[in-house]
PDB file of all heavy atoms in Angstrom:
ATOM      1  N   LYS A 182      -5.302  13.636  -0.620  1.00 96.00           N
ATOM      2  CA  LYS A 182      -5.439  13.973   0.730  1.00 96.00           C
ATOM      3  C   LYS A 182      -5.067  12.934   1.705  1.00 96.00           C
ATOM      4  O   LYS A 182      -4.800  13.151   2.838  1.00 96.00           O
ATOM      5  CB  LYS A 182      -6.967  14.367   1.042  1.00 96.00           C
ATOM      6  CG  LYS A 182      -7.991  13.421   0.738  1.00 96.00           C
ATOM      7  CD  LYS A 182      -9.440  13.904   0.942  1.00 96.00           C
ATOM      8  CE  LYS A 182     -10.400  12.926   0.677  1.00 96.00           C
ATOM      9  NZ  LYS A 182     -10.393  11.703   1.662  1.00 96.00           N
ATOM     10  N   ASP A 183      -5.078  11.636   1.207  1.00 96.00           N
ATOM     11  CA  ASP A 183      -4.809  10.501   2.056  1.00 96.00           C
ATOM     12  C   ASP A 183      -3.442   9.744   1.881  1.00 96.00           C
ATOM     13  O   ASP A 183      -3.105   8.882   2.661  1.00 96.00           O
ATOM     14  CB  ASP A 183      -5.961   9.478   1.873  1.00 96.00           C
ATOM     15  CG  ASP A 183      -7.278   9.975   2.276  1.00 96.00           C
ATOM     16  OD1 ASP A 183      -7.386  10.679   3.283  1.00 96.00           O
ATOM     17  OD2 ASP A 183      -8.211   9.683   1.443  1.00 96.00           O
ATOM     18  N   ALA A 184      -2.777  10.049   0.720  1.00 98.00           N
ATOM     19  CA  ALA A 184      -1.566   9.304   0.429  1.00 98.00           C
ATOM     20  C   ALA A 184      -0.544  10.170  -0.164  1.00 98.00           C
ATOM     21  O   ALA A 184      -0.888  11.089  -0.942  1.00 98.00           O
ATOM     22  CB  ALA A 184      -2.075   8.144  -0.477  1.00 98.00           C
ATOM     23  N   ALA A 185       0.740   9.704  -0.033  1.00 98.00           N
ATOM     24  CA  ALA A 185       1.898  10.152  -0.864  1.00 98.00           C
ATOM     25  C   ALA A 185       2.238   9.073  -1.899  1.00 98.00           C
ATOM     26  O   ALA A 185       2.099   7.910  -1.687  1.00 98.00           O
ATOM     27  CB  ALA A 185       3.003  10.373   0.048  1.00 98.00           C
ATOM     28  N   TYR A 186       2.489   9.534  -3.104  1.00 98.00           N
ATOM     29  CA  TYR A 186       2.912   8.743  -4.235  1.00 98.00           C
ATOM     30  C   TYR A 186       4.397   8.887  -4.517  1.00 98.00           C
ATOM     31  O   TYR A 186       4.804   9.935  -4.705  1.00 98.00           O
ATOM     32  CB  TYR A 186       2.083   9.015  -5.397  1.00 98.00           C
ATOM     33  CG  TYR A 186       0.667   8.744  -5.263  1.00 98.00           C
ATOM     34  CD1 TYR A 186      -0.189   9.503  -4.532  1.00 98.00           C
ATOM     35  CD2 TYR A 186       0.018   7.580  -5.924  1.00 98.00           C
ATOM     36  CE1 TYR A 186      -1.602   9.187  -4.369  1.00 98.00           C
ATOM     37  CE2 TYR A 186      -1.318   7.365  -5.797  1.00 98.00           C
ATOM     38  CZ  TYR A 186      -2.111   8.134  -5.064  1.00 98.00           C
ATOM     39  OH  TYR A 186      -3.449   7.845  -4.854  1.00 98.00           O
ATOM     40  N   VAL A 187       5.104   7.675  -4.593  1.00 98.00           N
ATOM     41  CA  VAL A 187       6.480   7.755  -5.057  1.00 98.00           C
ATOM     42  C   VAL A 187       6.386   7.223  -6.464  1.00 98.00           C
ATOM     43  O   VAL A 187       6.242   6.013  -6.759  1.00 98.00           O
ATOM     44  CB  VAL A 187       7.356   6.901  -4.227  1.00 98.00           C
ATOM     45  CG1 VAL A 187       8.835   6.841  -4.736  1.00 98.00           C
ATOM     46  CG2 VAL A 187       7.356   7.247  -2.757  1.00 98.00           C
ATOM     47  N   ASN A 188       6.640   8.175  -7.419  1.00 98.00           N
ATOM     48  CA  ASN A 188       6.418   7.789  -8.917  1.00 98.00           C
ATOM     49  C   ASN A 188       7.795   7.362  -9.586  1.00 98.00           C
ATOM     50  O   ASN A 188       7.781   6.493 -10.331  1.00 98.00           O
ATOM     51  CB  ASN A 188       5.912   9.064  -9.582  1.00 98.00           C
ATOM     52  CG  ASN A 188       4.350   9.081  -9.472  1.00 98.00           C
ATOM     53  OD1 ASN A 188       3.768   8.109  -9.412  1.00 98.00           O
ATOM     54  ND2 ASN A 188       3.834  10.290  -9.547  1.00 98.00           N
ATOM     55  N   LEU A 189       8.774   8.242  -9.275  1.00 98.00           N
ATOM     56  CA  LEU A 189      10.090   8.020  -9.955  1.00 98.00           C
ATOM     57  C   LEU A 189      11.243   7.708  -8.901  1.00 98.00           C
ATOM     58  O   LEU A 189      11.147   8.239  -7.842  1.00 98.00           O
ATOM     59  CB  LEU A 189      10.496   9.228 -10.771  1.00 98.00           C
ATOM     60  CG  LEU A 189       9.541   9.555 -11.974  1.00 98.00           C
ATOM     61  CD1 LEU A 189       9.849  10.876 -12.561  1.00 98.00           C
ATOM     62  CD2 LEU A 189       9.680   8.422 -13.065  1.00 98.00           C
ATOM     63  N   PHE A 190      12.159   6.902  -9.269  1.00 98.00           N
ATOM     64  CA  PHE A 190      13.178   6.645  -8.337  1.00 98.00           C
ATOM     65  C   PHE A 190      14.452   7.543  -8.593  1.00 98.00           C
ATOM     66  O   PHE A 190      15.361   7.166  -9.396  1.00 98.00           O
ATOM     67  CB  PHE A 190      13.522   5.109  -8.459  1.00 98.00           C
ATOM     68  CG  PHE A 190      12.352   4.264  -8.290  1.00 98.00           C
ATOM     69  CD1 PHE A 190      11.745   3.645  -9.371  1.00 98.00           C
ATOM     70  CD2 PHE A 190      11.568   4.209  -7.165  1.00 98.00           C
ATOM     71  CE1 PHE A 190      10.539   2.938  -9.299  1.00 98.00           C
ATOM     72  CE2 PHE A 190      10.338   3.544  -7.065  1.00 98.00           C
ATOM     73  CZ  PHE A 190       9.916   2.944  -8.089  1.00 98.00           C
ATOM     74  N   ILE A 191      14.420   8.667  -7.989  1.00 98.00           N
ATOM     75  CA  ILE A 191      15.447   9.687  -8.207  1.00 98.00           C
ATOM     76  C   ILE A 191      15.854  10.162  -6.795  1.00 98.00           C
ATOM     77  O   ILE A 191      14.965  10.643  -6.065  1.00 98.00           O
ATOM     78  CB  ILE A 191      14.894  10.806  -9.116  1.00 98.00           C
ATOM     79  CG1 ILE A 191      14.537  10.294 -10.525  1.00 98.00           C
ATOM     80  CG2 ILE A 191      15.860  11.989  -9.138  1.00 98.00           C
ATOM     81  CD1 ILE A 191      13.945  11.322 -11.478  1.00 98.00           C
ATOM     82  N   GLY A 192      17.054  10.195  -6.499  1.00 98.00           N
ATOM     83  CA  GLY A 192      17.501  10.708  -5.132  1.00 98.00           C
ATOM     84  C   GLY A 192      17.070  12.083  -5.022  1.00 98.00           C
ATOM     85  O   GLY A 192      17.338  12.954  -5.728  1.00 98.00           O
ATOM     86  N   SER A 193      16.421  12.305  -3.840  1.00 98.00           N
ATOM     87  CA  SER A 193      15.746  13.647  -3.585  1.00 98.00           C
ATOM     88  C   SER A 193      15.110  13.719  -2.251  1.00 98.00           C
ATOM     89  O   SER A 193      14.990  12.772  -1.505  1.00 98.00           O
ATOM     90  CB  SER A 193      14.580  13.891  -4.699  1.00 98.00           C
ATOM     91  OG  SER A 193      13.669  12.727  -4.589  1.00 98.00           O
ATOM     92  N   GLN A 194      14.717  14.877  -1.835  1.00 98.00           N
ATOM     93  CA  GLN A 194      13.899  15.188  -0.693  1.00 98.00           C
ATOM     94  C   GLN A 194      12.665  16.067  -1.095  1.00 98.00           C
ATOM     95  O   GLN A 194      12.827  16.876  -1.983  1.00 98.00           O
ATOM     96  CB  GLN A 194      14.693  15.976   0.402  1.00 98.00           C
ATOM     97  CG  GLN A 194      15.727  15.126   1.042  1.00 98.00           C
ATOM     98  CD  GLN A 194      16.152  15.805   2.426  1.00 98.00           C
ATOM     99  OE1 GLN A 194      15.428  16.043   3.330  1.00 98.00           O
ATOM    100  NE2 GLN A 194      17.504  16.102   2.603  1.00 98.00           N
ATOM    101  N   ALA A 195      11.641  15.744  -0.413  1.00 98.00           N
ATOM    102  CA  ALA A 195      10.425  16.378  -0.801  1.00 98.00           C
ATOM    103  C   ALA A 195       9.564  16.701   0.514  1.00 98.00           C
ATOM    104  O   ALA A 195       9.601  15.917   1.440  1.00 98.00           O
ATOM    105  CB  ALA A 195       9.515  15.654  -1.695  1.00 98.00           C
ATOM    106  N   ASP A 196       8.975  17.888   0.481  1.00 98.00           N
ATOM    107  CA  ASP A 196       8.111  18.289   1.650  1.00 98.00           C
ATOM    108  C   ASP A 196       6.678  18.394   1.131  1.00 98.00           C
ATOM    109  O   ASP A 196       6.385  19.109   0.156  1.00 98.00           O
ATOM    110  CB  ASP A 196       8.572  19.619   2.233  1.00 98.00           C
ATOM    111  CG  ASP A 196       9.887  19.465   2.824  1.00 98.00           C
ATOM    112  OD1 ASP A 196      10.130  18.714   3.752  1.00 98.00           O
ATOM    113  OD2 ASP A 196      10.847  20.321   2.363  1.00 98.00           O
ATOM    114  N   LEU A 197       5.711  17.659   1.763  1.00 98.00           N
ATOM    115  CA  LEU A 197       4.286  17.697   1.290  1.00 98.00           C
ATOM    116  C   LEU A 197       3.393  17.517   2.515  1.00 98.00           C
ATOM    117  O   LEU A 197       3.832  17.212   3.624  1.00 98.00           O
ATOM    118  CB  LEU A 197       4.066  16.597   0.234  1.00 98.00           C
ATOM    119  CG  LEU A 197       4.379  15.140   0.597  1.00 98.00           C
ATOM    120  CD1 LEU A 197       3.480  14.222  -0.277  1.00 98.00           C
ATOM    121  CD2 LEU A 197       5.832  14.777   0.438  1.00 98.00           C
ATOM    122  N   THR A 198       2.113  17.659   2.230  1.00 98.00           N
ATOM    123  CA  THR A 198       1.129  17.401   3.323  1.00 98.00           C
ATOM    124  C   THR A 198       0.199  16.304   2.896  1.00 98.00           C
ATOM    125  O   THR A 198      -0.428  16.309   1.894  1.00 98.00           O
ATOM    126  CB  THR A 198       0.307  18.690   3.543  1.00 98.00           C
ATOM    127  OG1 THR A 198       1.157  19.807   3.885  1.00 98.00           O
ATOM    128  CG2 THR A 198      -0.720  18.488   4.641  1.00 98.00           C
ATOM    129  N   VAL A 199       0.113  15.266   3.858  1.00 98.00           N
ATOM    130  CA  VAL A 199      -0.803  14.112   3.720  1.00 98.00           C
ATOM    131  C   VAL A 199      -1.575  13.934   4.968  1.00 98.00           C
ATOM    132  O   VAL A 199      -1.007  13.927   6.029  1.00 98.00           O
ATOM    133  CB  VAL A 199       0.084  12.874   3.352  1.00 98.00           C
ATOM    134  CG1 VAL A 199      -0.800  11.740   3.090  1.00 98.00           C
ATOM    135  CG2 VAL A 199       1.029  13.100   2.318  1.00 98.00           C
ATOM    136  N   ALA A 200      -2.920  13.745   4.758  1.00 96.00           N
ATOM    137  CA  ALA A 200      -3.786  13.497   5.968  1.00 96.00           C
ATOM    138  C   ALA A 200      -3.579  14.592   6.955  1.00 96.00           C
ATOM    139  O   ALA A 200      -3.611  14.239   8.220  1.00 96.00           O
ATOM    140  CB  ALA A 200      -3.438  12.102   6.568  1.00 96.00           C
ATOM    141  N   GLY A 201      -3.318  15.751   6.585  1.00 96.00           N
ATOM    142  CA  GLY A 201      -3.300  16.917   7.453  1.00 96.00           C
ATOM    143  C   GLY A 201      -1.884  17.070   8.194  1.00 96.00           C
ATOM    144  O   GLY A 201      -1.770  17.935   9.119  1.00 96.00           O
ATOM    145  N   THR A 202      -1.006  16.225   7.785  1.00 97.00           N
ATOM    146  CA  THR A 202       0.323  16.238   8.428  1.00 97.00           C
ATOM    147  C   THR A 202       1.436  16.539   7.426  1.00 97.00           C
ATOM    148  O   THR A 202       1.486  16.074   6.358  1.00 97.00           O
ATOM    149  CB  THR A 202       0.678  14.896   9.090  1.00 97.00           C
ATOM    150  OG1 THR A 202      -0.465  14.531  10.001  1.00 97.00           O
ATOM    151  CG2 THR A 202       1.923  14.835   9.709  1.00 97.00           C
ATOM    152  N   ASN A 203       2.342  17.426   7.884  1.00 98.00           N
ATOM    153  CA  ASN A 203       3.479  17.680   7.048  1.00 98.00           C
ATOM    154  C   ASN A 203       4.450  16.495   7.058  1.00 98.00           C
ATOM    155  O   ASN A 203       4.825  15.898   8.136  1.00 98.00           O
ATOM    156  CB  ASN A 203       4.301  18.972   7.521  1.00 98.00           C
ATOM    157  CG  ASN A 203       3.454  20.257   7.388  1.00 98.00           C
ATOM    158  OD1 ASN A 203       2.660  20.290   6.591  1.00 98.00           O
ATOM    159  ND2 ASN A 203       3.697  21.144   8.291  1.00 98.00           N
ATOM    160  N   VAL A 204       4.879  16.145   5.843  1.00 98.00           N
ATOM    161  CA  VAL A 204       5.721  14.876   5.752  1.00 98.00           C
ATOM    162  C   VAL A 204       6.983  15.206   4.843  1.00 98.00           C
ATOM    163  O   VAL A 204       6.752  15.885   3.817  1.00 98.00           O
ATOM    164  CB  VAL A 204       5.019  13.754   5.085  1.00 98.00           C
ATOM    165  CG1 VAL A 204       5.868  12.528   4.916  1.00 98.00           C
ATOM    166  CG2 VAL A 204       3.677  13.419   5.869  1.00 98.00           C
ATOM    167  N   ASN A 205       8.105  14.794   5.310  1.00 98.00           N
ATOM    168  CA  ASN A 205       9.296  14.925   4.506  1.00 98.00           C
ATOM    169  C   ASN A 205       9.706  13.512   4.080  1.00 98.00           C
ATOM    170  O   ASN A 205       9.636  12.510   4.777  1.00 98.00           O
ATOM    171  CB  ASN A 205      10.495  15.489   5.313  1.00 98.00           C
ATOM    172  CG  ASN A 205      11.849  15.383   4.623  1.00 98.00           C
ATOM    173  OD1 ASN A 205      12.587  14.460   4.624  1.00 98.00           O
ATOM    174  ND2 ASN A 205      12.094  16.430   3.840  1.00 98.00           N
ATOM    175  N   LEU A 206       9.894  13.384   2.697  1.00 98.00           N
ATOM    176  CA  LEU A 206      10.316  12.082   2.093  1.00 98.00           C
ATOM    177  C   LEU A 206      11.804  12.311   1.595  1.00 98.00           C
ATOM    178  O   LEU A 206      12.078  13.302   0.948  1.00 98.00           O
ATOM    179  CB  LEU A 206       9.427  11.667   0.959  1.00 98.00           C
ATOM    180  CG  LEU A 206       7.958  11.401   1.245  1.00 98.00           C
ATOM    181  CD1 LEU A 206       7.198  11.115  -0.041  1.00 98.00           C
ATOM    182  CD2 LEU A 206       7.768  10.288   2.185  1.00 98.00           C
ATOM    183  N   LYS A 207      12.658  11.356   1.973  1.00 98.00           N
ATOM    184  CA  LYS A 207      14.012  11.439   1.530  1.00 98.00           C
ATOM    185  C   LYS A 207      14.288  10.100   0.836  1.00 98.00           C
ATOM    186  O   LYS A 207      14.022   9.017   1.350  1.00 98.00           O
ATOM    187  CB  LYS A 207      14.982  11.606   2.612  1.00 98.00           C
ATOM    188  CG  LYS A 207      16.393  11.709   2.174  1.00 98.00           C
ATOM    189  CD  LYS A 207      17.391  11.949   3.348  1.00 98.00           C
ATOM    190  CE  LYS A 207      18.875  12.066   2.917  1.00 98.00           C
ATOM    191  NZ  LYS A 207      19.760  12.254   3.942  1.00 98.00           N
ATOM    192  N   GLN A 208      14.679  10.236  -0.469  1.00 98.00           N
ATOM    193  CA  GLN A 208      14.969   9.058  -1.303  1.00 98.00           C
ATOM    194  C   GLN A 208      16.404   9.039  -1.629  1.00 98.00           C
ATOM    195  O   GLN A 208      17.082   9.968  -2.125  1.00 98.00           O
ATOM    196  CB  GLN A 208      14.125   9.067  -2.543  1.00 98.00           C
ATOM    197  CG  GLN A 208      14.231   7.839  -3.389  1.00 98.00           C
ATOM    198  CD  GLN A 208      13.207   7.831  -4.603  1.00 98.00           C
ATOM    199  OE1 GLN A 208      13.361   6.891  -5.399  1.00 98.00           O
ATOM    200  NE2 GLN A 208      12.421   8.837  -4.786  1.00 98.00           N
ATOM    201  N   VAL A 209      17.027   7.828  -1.455  1.00 98.00           N
ATOM    202  CA  VAL A 209      18.429   7.599  -1.843  1.00 98.00           C
ATOM    203  C   VAL A 209      18.442   6.324  -2.726  1.00 98.00           C
ATOM    204  O   VAL A 209      17.840   5.330  -2.424  1.00 98.00           O
ATOM    205  CB  VAL A 209      19.344   7.297  -0.632  1.00 98.00           C
ATOM    206  CG1 VAL A 209      20.792   6.980  -1.086  1.00 98.00           C
ATOM    207  CG2 VAL A 209      19.395   8.507   0.385  1.00 98.00           C
ATOM    208  N   THR A 210      19.045   6.420  -3.900  1.00 98.00           N
ATOM    209  CA  THR A 210      18.981   5.278  -4.932  1.00 98.00           C
ATOM    210  C   THR A 210      20.224   5.325  -5.812  1.00 98.00           C
ATOM    211  O   THR A 210      20.910   6.411  -6.013  1.00 98.00           O
ATOM    212  CB  THR A 210      17.715   5.569  -5.742  1.00 98.00           C
ATOM    213  OG1 THR A 210      17.577   4.431  -6.622  1.00 98.00           O
ATOM    214  CG2 THR A 210      17.571   6.791  -6.514  1.00 98.00           C
ATOM    215  N   HIS A 211      20.409   4.162  -6.338  1.00 97.00           N
ATOM    216  CA  HIS A 211      21.500   4.083  -7.484  1.00 97.00           C
ATOM    217  C   HIS A 211      20.802   3.734  -8.829  1.00 97.00           C
ATOM    218  O   HIS A 211      21.518   3.320  -9.759  1.00 97.00           O
ATOM    219  CB  HIS A 211      22.430   2.941  -7.035  1.00 97.00           C
ATOM    220  CG  HIS A 211      23.425   3.350  -5.923  1.00 97.00           C
ATOM    221  ND1 HIS A 211      23.078   3.162  -4.636  1.00 97.00           N
ATOM    222  CD2 HIS A 211      24.602   3.886  -5.934  1.00 97.00           C
ATOM    223  CE1 HIS A 211      24.047   3.584  -3.909  1.00 97.00           C
ATOM    224  NE2 HIS A 211      24.963   4.078  -4.612  1.00 97.00           N
ATOM    225  N   TYR A 212      19.477   4.022  -8.890  1.00 98.00           N
ATOM    226  CA  TYR A 212      18.720   3.741 -10.046  1.00 98.00           C
ATOM    227  C   TYR A 212      19.186   4.714 -11.126  1.00 98.00           C
ATOM    228  O   TYR A 212      19.584   5.862 -10.855  1.00 98.00           O
ATOM    229  CB  TYR A 212      17.267   4.074  -9.746  1.00 98.00           C
ATOM    230  CG  TYR A 212      16.233   3.516 -10.638  1.00 98.00           C
ATOM    231  CD1 TYR A 212      15.788   2.267 -10.597  1.00 98.00           C
ATOM    232  CD2 TYR A 212      15.592   4.500 -11.564  1.00 98.00           C
ATOM    233  CE1 TYR A 212      14.721   1.854 -11.428  1.00 98.00           C
ATOM    234  CE2 TYR A 212      14.615   3.981 -12.403  1.00 98.00           C
ATOM    235  CZ  TYR A 212      14.204   2.689 -12.393  1.00 98.00           C
ATOM    236  OH  TYR A 212      13.105   2.274 -13.190  1.00 98.00           O
ATOM    237  N   PRO A 213      19.379   4.294 -12.430  1.00 98.00           N
ATOM    238  CA  PRO A 213      18.917   3.131 -12.950  1.00 98.00           C
ATOM    239  C   PRO A 213      19.898   2.027 -13.155  1.00 98.00           C
ATOM    240  O   PRO A 213      19.728   0.964 -13.692  1.00 98.00           O
ATOM    241  CB  PRO A 213      18.470   3.503 -14.409  1.00 98.00           C
ATOM    242  CG  PRO A 213      19.504   4.635 -14.689  1.00 98.00           C
ATOM    243  CD  PRO A 213      19.794   5.341 -13.386  1.00 98.00           C
ATOM    244  N   TRP A 214      21.105   2.263 -12.523  1.00 98.00           N
ATOM    245  CA  TRP A 214      22.258   1.221 -12.689  1.00 98.00           C
ATOM    246  C   TRP A 214      21.973   0.123 -11.670  1.00 98.00           C
ATOM    247  O   TRP A 214      22.472  -0.982 -11.971  1.00 98.00           O
ATOM    248  CB  TRP A 214      23.530   1.914 -12.432  1.00 98.00           C
ATOM    249  CG  TRP A 214      23.776   3.142 -13.340  1.00 98.00           C
ATOM    250  CD1 TRP A 214      24.296   4.242 -13.010  1.00 98.00           C
ATOM    251  CD2 TRP A 214      23.552   3.140 -14.721  1.00 98.00           C
ATOM    252  NE1 TRP A 214      24.332   5.179 -13.979  1.00 98.00           N
ATOM    253  CE2 TRP A 214      24.025   4.507 -15.099  1.00 98.00           C
ATOM    254  CE3 TRP A 214      23.119   2.281 -15.779  1.00 98.00           C
ATOM    255  CZ2 TRP A 214      23.906   4.887 -16.508  1.00 98.00           C
ATOM    256  CZ3 TRP A 214      23.074   2.765 -16.998  1.00 98.00           C
ATOM    257  CH2 TRP A 214      23.437   4.021 -17.430  1.00 98.00           C
ATOM    258  N   LYS A 215      21.412   0.394 -10.507  1.00 98.00           N
ATOM    259  CA  LYS A 215      21.096  -0.661  -9.558  1.00 98.00           C
ATOM    260  C   LYS A 215      19.639  -0.507  -9.105  1.00 98.00           C
ATOM    261  O   LYS A 215      18.990   0.585  -9.297  1.00 98.00           O
ATOM    262  CB  LYS A 215      21.980  -0.517  -8.239  1.00 98.00           C
ATOM    263  CG  LYS A 215      23.492  -0.704  -8.583  1.00 98.00           C
ATOM    264  CD  LYS A 215      24.224  -0.628  -7.267  1.00 98.00           C
ATOM    265  CE  LYS A 215      25.687  -0.838  -7.550  1.00 98.00           C
ATOM    266  NZ  LYS A 215      26.567  -0.765  -6.254  1.00 98.00           N
ATOM    267  N   GLY A 216      19.085  -1.518  -8.559  1.00 97.00           N
ATOM    268  CA  GLY A 216      17.593  -1.566  -8.298  1.00 97.00           C
ATOM    269  C   GLY A 216      17.264  -1.147  -6.874  1.00 97.00           C
ATOM    270  O   GLY A 216      16.101  -1.051  -6.578  1.00 97.00           O
ATOM    271  N   GLU A 217      18.180  -0.849  -6.025  1.00 98.00           N
ATOM    272  CA  GLU A 217      17.860  -0.502  -4.593  1.00 98.00           C
ATOM    273  C   GLU A 217      17.534   0.974  -4.465  1.00 98.00           C
ATOM    274  O   GLU A 217      18.296   1.734  -4.939  1.00 98.00           O
ATOM    275  CB  GLU A 217      19.062  -0.878  -3.732  1.00 98.00           C
ATOM    276  CG  GLU A 217      19.515  -2.367  -3.767  1.00 98.00           C
ATOM    277  CD  GLU A 217      20.542  -2.605  -4.711  1.00 98.00           C
ATOM    278  OE1 GLU A 217      20.924  -1.705  -5.522  1.00 98.00           O
ATOM    279  OE2 GLU A 217      21.156  -3.802  -4.787  1.00 98.00           O
ATOM    280  N   SER A 218      16.376   1.195  -3.864  1.00 98.00           N
ATOM    281  CA  SER A 218      16.061   2.561  -3.483  1.00 98.00           C
ATOM    282  C   SER A 218      15.555   2.493  -1.957  1.00 98.00           C
ATOM    283  O   SER A 218      14.872   1.632  -1.601  1.00 98.00           O
ATOM    284  CB  SER A 218      14.930   3.088  -4.308  1.00 98.00           C
ATOM    285  OG  SER A 218      15.351   3.108  -5.702  1.00 98.00           O
ATOM    286  N   VAL A 219      15.979   3.485  -1.192  1.00 98.00           N
ATOM    287  CA  VAL A 219      15.470   3.621   0.140  1.00 98.00           C
ATOM    288  C   VAL A 219      14.716   5.000   0.273  1.00 98.00           C
ATOM    289  O   VAL A 219      15.294   6.055  -0.115  1.00 98.00           O
ATOM    290  CB  VAL A 219      16.633   3.608   1.065  1.00 98.00           C
ATOM    291  CG1 VAL A 219      16.123   3.867   2.649  1.00 98.00           C
ATOM    292  CG2 VAL A 219      17.386   2.245   1.033  1.00 98.00           C
ATOM    293  N   ILE A 220      13.426   4.940   0.778  1.00 98.00           N
ATOM    294  CA  ILE A 220      12.701   6.164   1.018  1.00 98.00           C
ATOM    295  C   ILE A 220      12.451   6.214   2.562  1.00 98.00           C
ATOM    296  O   ILE A 220      11.812   5.356   3.117  1.00 98.00           O
ATOM    297  CB  ILE A 220      11.338   6.026   0.345  1.00 98.00           C
ATOM    298  CG1 ILE A 220      11.539   5.863  -1.200  1.00 98.00           C
ATOM    299  CG2 ILE A 220      10.482   7.206   0.576  1.00 98.00           C
ATOM    300  CD1 ILE A 220      10.952   4.632  -1.816  1.00 98.00           C
ATOM    301  N   VAL A 221      13.011   7.331   3.154  1.00 98.00           N
ATOM    302  CA  VAL A 221      12.803   7.482   4.500  1.00 98.00           C
ATOM    303  C   VAL A 221      11.585   8.492   4.673  1.00 98.00           C
ATOM    304  O   VAL A 221      11.459   9.577   4.039  1.00 98.00           O
ATOM    305  CB  VAL A 221      14.030   8.148   5.169  1.00 98.00           C
ATOM    306  CG1 VAL A 221      13.857   8.409   6.679  1.00 98.00           C
ATOM    307  CG2 VAL A 221      15.300   7.183   4.924  1.00 98.00           C
ATOM    308  N   VAL A 222      10.656   8.066   5.566  1.00 98.00           N
ATOM    309  CA  VAL A 222       9.491   8.809   5.827  1.00 98.00           C
ATOM    310  C   VAL A 222       9.483   9.601   7.085  1.00 98.00           C
ATOM    311  O   VAL A 222       9.755   8.955   8.184  1.00 98.00           O
ATOM    312  CB  VAL A 222       8.268   7.856   5.715  1.00 98.00           C
ATOM    313  CG1 VAL A 222       6.912   8.621   5.961  1.00 98.00           C
ATOM    314  CG2 VAL A 222       8.174   7.043   4.387  1.00 98.00           C
ATOM    315  N   ASN A 223       9.450  10.814   7.032  1.00 98.00           N
ATOM    316  CA  ASN A 223       9.487  11.654   8.278  1.00 98.00           C
ATOM    317  C   ASN A 223       8.394  12.562   8.422  1.00 98.00           C
ATOM    318  O   ASN A 223       8.371  13.787   7.981  1.00 98.00           O
ATOM    319  CB  ASN A 223      10.868  12.586   8.181  1.00 98.00           C
ATOM    320  CG  ASN A 223      12.133  11.716   8.371  1.00 98.00           C
ATOM    321  OD1 ASN A 223      12.264  10.929   9.260  1.00 98.00           O
ATOM    322  ND2 ASN A 223      12.961  11.930   7.319  1.00 98.00           N
ATOM    323  N   PRO A 224       7.223  12.069   9.108  1.00 98.00           N
ATOM    324  CA  PRO A 224       6.104  12.933   9.387  1.00 98.00           C
ATOM    325  C   PRO A 224       6.502  13.923  10.500  1.00 98.00           C
ATOM    326  O   PRO A 224       7.279  13.532  11.359  1.00 98.00           O
ATOM    327  CB  PRO A 224       5.008  11.907   9.746  1.00 98.00           C
ATOM    328  CG  PRO A 224       5.731  10.789  10.291  1.00 98.00           C
ATOM    329  CD  PRO A 224       7.066  10.708   9.524  1.00 98.00           C
TER     330      PRO A 224
END
């Protein structure tokens, strides 16, 4: 109810509800070949 968890580093978009607010997460990554991942948070 209070938090979103980023478990795996896989390029994706997700829609979920946290703290009563709809949130879109967008992840861009080159994992596992590179270590950089960017997660954009869009409440």
Side-chain angles (χ1 to χ4, degrees):
K182 63 184 180 66
D183 300 314
Y186 292 73
V187 180
N188 278 333
L189 295 169
F190 308 111
I191 296 176
S193 54
Q194 286 199 59
D196 297 302
L197 59 157
T198 301
V199 183
T202 300
N203 294 331
V204 178
N205 173 268
L206 298 176
K207 181 178 181 181
Q208 185 175 177
V209 178
T210 181
H211 289 86
Y212 196 83
W214 307 131
K215 295 181 180 179
E217 300 93 350
S218 298
V219 175
I220 301 124
V221 180
V222 183
N223 290 309

